[in-house]
Amino acid sequence: MTKHGFTLFLFLSAVAIATFRDEQEFCENESCNEREFDKSHFYSDVKHCGEIPLALSHKLLDALPLDDGNVIRTVKRSVFSESQPSPLKEPLTLAAVSQDVLRNILDLNESVIQNEEFVRCVSGGKLFPGSVPLAHRYGGHQFGYWAGQLGDGRAHLLGEYTNRKGERWEVQLKGSGKTPYSRSGDGRAVIRSSVREFLCSEAMHFLGVPTSRALSLVVSEEPVWRDPFYNGSVIKERGAVVLRLAKSWFRIGSLEILTRTGELDVLRTLLDFVIKEHFKSIATNDPDKYVVFFSRVLNETAHLIAHWMSVGFAHGVCNTDNFSLLSITFHYGPFGFMESYDPNFVPNTSDDEGRYSIGAQANVGLFNLQKLLEALKPLLTSDQLSQSQQILREYPQIYHQRFHELFKAKLGFLGNEEKDSYVIAFLLKLMEDTGADFTMTFRQLSEVTLSRLQKGSFAPSLWALSDLSSHKHFRDWVQLYLQRLSR
């Protein structure tokens, strides 16, 4: 293992809090949206978790239009579809549990993981009381092009849990079987992608980055066939399910699909619901509430991407269907953490053109926000559209301001000075030219003595700074840095 690879291994291992152990029918008219939801006909044969004290609820059922056909197809005039999870084949192994999520989000005692029922409850074999499994309908722009209907092809939203702190979390299974949005997929997830999702969502949380969370990882002997290198070589892997949580799973694509299909009444219903439930500082009777909503999402999206950059995180698939309306990180697919500093770092092997390279993420965020504004446009007056377009033009400034705040903190700068941006850019250029390790350069700058930094002579343990010091302008930067620290 290279020293850079070892850095990443230590990084993930240290921050992830885990315990490791070995009838086609759909609505064609508006009357379907107003029906009383009856889950008994569809879930009468589903077993419920009677021994795990976790009861869920579902505000979505009464507020948003639902589709009740569990057949793969194009869905109309609905935000969610009923869809029952398909249990993994036993025997099942509980491979990992986040103790932090268990205790501090779901209010559960650690002893519940010893209960044989727990592994079935967190893998879709049984349902928590109050669960009504739903798959979300959304669309999205993928690699810059409209992809049409996408949706939760292998995920089931079970319900919402309100914990003793008053926090509301939506509970979802990933890898839990086919839904109406599975297209040609099998609805399953394999171990390698599930491990990455579990580890990285927990790691990002403990790095202070807004993110979805993961409670558990369950592994099965069920065979799942995949082509991991996209070269035509299909191999047999093992299926797995992650139980994950977020304040909301709505994304830009949730709104896009409704505008694209002309379902403007459903668009307004969904948007009003999102604002009421998740943007409580926006008055529901404010005539400009959609403009305020857009401004809030834009600000928080800019801040989120700046935060990604500050920890060297490349999302890998920044499609609009993967950009949260609440500006949290989710959909941990082909992500990566940059080791040697390289703005062109691309973790996704299928991204041949580098559209989603780490250095392009801020621009992709702007593109996605443009698509969000296009989705909102039918609900805006001409004046509101002009206001929103002006807000969109402010995105670069908002992003760069937050970027510099985070990097100044990484360098230990207090207050603001005119040349701070130059000192940051100078350092990043040195790192790019020398291939210095991104994370360890900042870490070792926080550990090295000023006298040793001035001399430019570093012990083997300070290997990242040693790499950086090979640059001919290293001493010039050190002088600027030390002068700034002295002030």
Side-chain angles (χ1 to χ4, degrees):
M1 181 182 293
T2 66
K3 61 186 178 183
H4 302 302
F6 186 66
T7 298
L8 182 58
F9 171 77
L10 289 178
F11 163 67
L12 282 175
S13 300
V15 298
I17 305 299
T19 301
F20 278 89
R21 307 183 305 190
D22 245 21
E23 120 199 82
Q24 180 170 356
E25 173 183 303
F26 60 86
C27 297
E28 292 282 9
N29 53 63
E30 294 185 22
S31 63
C32 297
N33 299 341
E34 300 170 357
R35 65 182 172 82
E36 182 177 352
F37 182 75
D38 179 13
K39 62 184 179 181
S40 61
H41 71 285
F42 198 72
Y43 301 104
S44 58
D45 60 341
V46 176
K47 296 180 179 179
H48 286 79
C49 304
E51 300 179 17
I52 307 301
L54 185 70
L56 306 182
S57 61
H58 247 315
K59 286 192 174 183
L60 305 171
L61 299 180
D62 297 324
L64 299 173
L66 302 176
D67 161 77
D68 60 2
N70 196 32
V71 178
I72 298 174
R73 71 206 187 283
T74 298
V75 176
K76 298 181 179 180
R77 300 197 57 76
S78 298
V79 178
F80 289 94
S81 295
E82 302 173 42
S83 183
Q84 185 175 350
S86 301
L88 288 169
K89 292 181 180 179
E90 299 191 13
L92 304 176
T93 302
L94 181 61
V97 172
S98 167
Q99 302 291 347
D100 185 67
V101 173
L102 188 76
R103 294 192 303 263
N104 299 322
I105 294 181
L106 296 178
D107 302 326
L108 294 173
N109 188 280
E110 295 175 25
S111 61
V112 299
I113 65 178
Q114 307 299 330
N115 191 313
E116 293 182 2
E117 192 173 62
F118 181 80
V119 69
R120 295 185 181 91
C121 297
V122 298
S123 62
K126 290 187 175 183
L127 296 179
F128 295 106
S131 296
V132 180
L134 303 174
H136 179 33
R137 173 194 177 211
Y138 54 83
H141 280 81
Q142 298 191 330
F143 291 89
Y145 298 95
W146 176 246
Q149 176 179 291
L150 299 168
D152 289 334
R154 54 177 178 172
H156 292 82
L157 176 63
L158 300 181
E160 180 183 82
Y161 178 71
T162 302
N163 64 23
R164 58 175 62 124
K165 292 179 285 189
E167 300 171 339
R168 299 211 315 266
W169 290 85
E170 293 183 1
V171 180
Q172 187 185 74
L173 299 174
K174 182 176 180 181
S176 45
K178 289 184 178 181
T179 77
Y181 309 101
S182 295
R183 293 172 285 171
S184 60
D186 58 14
R188 292 304 188 198
V190 296
I191 293 177
R192 54 188 169 82
S193 62
S194 301
V195 167
R196 287 165 57 80
E197 165 112 17
F198 181 93
L199 280 177
C200 196
S201 58
E202 290 304 281
M204 291 286 273
H205 168 71
F206 285 98
L207 285 170
V209 182
T211 179
S212 60
R213 302 295 302 276
L215 168 67
S216 58
L217 168 63
V218 174
V219 176
S220 168
E221 296 297 329
E222 180 172 331
V224 178
W225 298 92
R226 290 290 184 268
D227 179 4
F229 299 106
Y230 304 100
N231 60 4
S233 299
V234 178
I235 62 173
K236 184 173 72 171
E237 302 189 55
R238 293 166 64 190
V241 169
V242 173
L243 189 147
R244 57 188 190 174
L245 306 92
K247 297 297 181 65
S248 171
W249 295 101
F250 289 124
R251 70 271 329 265
I252 292 175
S254 305
L255 305 178
E256 284 186 290
I257 188 70
L258 301 175
T259 300
R260 286 273 177 161
T261 55
E263 301 170 37
L264 301 187
D265 56 333
V266 182
L267 172 67
R268 188 182 297 275
T269 298
L270 174 56
L271 193 52
D272 288 348
F273 175 83
V274 171
I275 291 173
K276 178 183 177 182
E277 295 297 324
H278 301 291
F279 294 81
K280 294 186 180 298
S281 63
I282 302 177
T284 55
N285 60 352
D286 184 347
D288 293 324
K289 60 184 176 182
Y290 299 147
V291 177
V292 180
F293 165 79
F294 178 68
S295 177
R296 190 73 53 78
V297 175
L298 182 143
N299 271 270
E300 294 306 315
T301 298
H303 290 177
L304 176 66
I305 298 174
H307 219 145
W308 288 354
M309 299 298 291
S310 74
V311 296
F313 175 78
H315 185 280
V317 276
C318 298
N319 303 323
T320 57
D321 54 295
N322 295 328
F323 258 52
S324 162
L325 291 178
L326 270 60
S327 304
I328 63 171
T329 313
F330 61 35
H331 185 77
Y332 287 96
F335 70 86
F337 284 92
M338 177 172 58
E339 296 180 8
S340 296
Y341 180 75
D342 178 9
N344 297 315
F345 169 63
V346 178
N348 186 352
T349 55
S350 63
D351 185 4
D352 297 328
E353 297 180 1
R355 175 180 175 82
Y356 297 146
S357 66
I358 191 169
Q361 291 184 133
N363 287 336
V364 170
L366 178 59
F367 174 88
N368 290 349
L369 290 164
Q370 289 171 335
K371 297 307 174 185
L372 173 59
L373 182 54
E374 289 177 14
L376 297 176
K377 185 177 178 180
L379 305 183
L380 304 176
T381 66
S382 58
D383 286 345
Q384 290 172 337
L385 179 60
S386 295
Q387 293 177 48
S388 299
Q389 289 169 337
Q390 177 56 40
I391 291 169
L392 187 64
R393 286 191 284 269
E394 295 169 0
Y395 169 85
Q397 179 182 351
I398 296 169
Y399 168 77
H400 286 295
Q401 180 177 342
R402 184 58 177 152
F403 179 94
H404 288 128
E405 288 173 353
L406 291 166
F407 276 81
K408 283 195 299 181
K410 288 172 75 72
L411 289 171
F413 292 173
L414 302 177
N416 296 300
E417 291 196 11
E418 185 178 349
K419 291 185 177 181
D420 284 348
S421 296
Y422 176 75
V423 176
I424 294 169
F426 194 168
L427 173 60
L428 294 178
K429 179 59 178 173
L430 298 186
M431 293 170 67
E432 181 179 1
D433 289 348
T434 59
D437 186 281
F438 177 79
T439 299
M440 294 307 297
T441 294
F442 287 101
R443 187 64 188 164
Q444 291 174 14
L445 276 173
S446 74
E447 297 171 343
V448 69
T449 63
L450 295 182
S451 60
R452 187 171 292 277
L453 189 60
Q454 287 175 317
K455 293 177 182 178
S457 176
F458 304 106
S461 60
L462 299 175
W463 48 267
L465 288 182
S466 181
D467 290 345
L468 193 70
S469 68
S470 65
H471 200 287
K472 63 181 179 180
H473 293 302
F474 174 72
R475 291 185 180 277
D476 298 329
W477 179 81
V478 168
Q479 183 177 2
L480 288 174
Y481 179 59
L482 294 179
Q483 289 173 354
R484 175 63 175 89
L485 288 182
S486 70
R487 294 192 296 274

